[in-house]
Amino acid sequence: MTRSERLAEQLDWHWRENLRPRLDGLTDEEYFWEPVRDCWSIRPRGRSTAPGPRGSGEWTMDSAPPAPATAPTPAPAPAPVTTIAWRLAHIIVSCLGYRVAWYFGGQDVDSRTFAYAGTAGEALKQLDEMYERWNAGVRGLSDIDLDRPPAVGPERYPLENRVLHVNRELIHHGAEVSLLRDLYRRQDGAVPRRI
């Protein structure tokens, strides 16, 4: 097995055995479920109350505009809790989409112009498509490619480092989505016990 195949397989095993099966049957109600007040989500255009929503289509992603280095960030602190819809959009665009374009010459993806999904089914289709592009791109890398910094994008570390970072991000955010699904399914109004 080549280095690139090992890197791809690390994530692909998790994708096939853990994350993707956990997303089967995701409903629109779960996708948009807000477990607490003031969550960030994907919303119909014009309905966001976040300071800088992103997206070009009928749906936008709650967001805050990036702050200049010399100014305090306008993002809420602490960061808002996010819905499954927001988390999936983050995986599709920020974790995978940008990097597919930067590293493998795919179609440019930009959070300001991306057409975010207004249904769970549409989001899963976007996720599957972007994951397949990522996985194929990683599998096609040579050892020389992995040792060099990427030619495009802000990162200047070896590409192998960037691949490991994306793998970690997808596993991390996928676990968050899985936990939100567990919490959604277990809503029973029970009062937490004090120990």
Side-chain angles (χ1 to χ4, degrees), residues 3-189:
R3 278 170 59 202
S4 62
E5 288 171 333
R6 284 195 306 271
L7 289 168
E9 192 56 33
Q10 175 199 37
L11 183 58
D12 203 41
W13 182 89
H14 174 72
W15 175 262
R16 287 187 324 268
E17 299 298 322
N18 293 307
L19 179 56
R20 192 56 185 89
R22 291 285 312 269
L23 298 175
D24 288 343
L26 181 68
T27 66
D28 290 347
E29 187 174 323
E30 287 175 280
Y31 180 66
F32 290 116
W33 177 59
E34 297 190 20
V36 297
R37 287 186 313 271
D38 301 322
C39 282
W40 274 8
S41 191
I42 303 299
R43 302 188 192 285
R45 179 165 296 288
R47 303 269 314 271
S48 176
T49 59
R54 302 203 169 238
S56 65
E58 295 177 29
W59 296 83
T60 61
M61 180 182 192
D62 291 339
S63 182
T70 58
T73 180
V81 172
T82 57
T83 64
I84 290 173
W86 194 98
R87 281 280 154 214
L88 288 178
H90 177 68
I91 292 169
I92 293 162
V93 175
S94 300
C95 295
L96 296 172
Y98 288 153
R99 273 94 178 181
V100 166
W102 293 340
Y103 308 154
F104 309 129
Q107 178 182 3
D108 276 346
V109 173
D110 187 312
S111 63
R112 294 168 298 185
T113 59
F114 190 77
Y116 291 99
T119 67
E122 187 181 350
L124 292 177
K125 183 178 175 185
Q126 289 175 342
L127 178 66
D128 289 341
E129 180 182 312
M130 202 60 74
Y131 175 76
E132 288 305 318
R133 288 181 186 175
W134 173 256
N135 188 268
V138 171
R139 289 182 186 278
L141 295 170
S142 69
D143 285 351
I144 293 170
D145 295 330
L146 290 168
D147 290 336
R148 292 185 181 149
V152 179
E155 294 93 353
R156 292 296 167 231
Y157 298 100
L159 189 52
E160 182 173 23
N161 177 280
R162 301 293 76 207
V163 170
L164 288 168
H165 171 73
V166 171
N167 286 2
R168 183 183 68 243
E169 284 288 292
L170 188 57
I171 291 167
H172 164 81
H173 293 305
E176 292 172 330
V177 170
S178 297
L179 175 61
L180 284 169
R181 282 202 88 187
D182 289 344
L183 292 172
Y184 176 84
R185 291 175 180 164
R186 297 296 301 260
Q187 295 176 78
D188 59 8

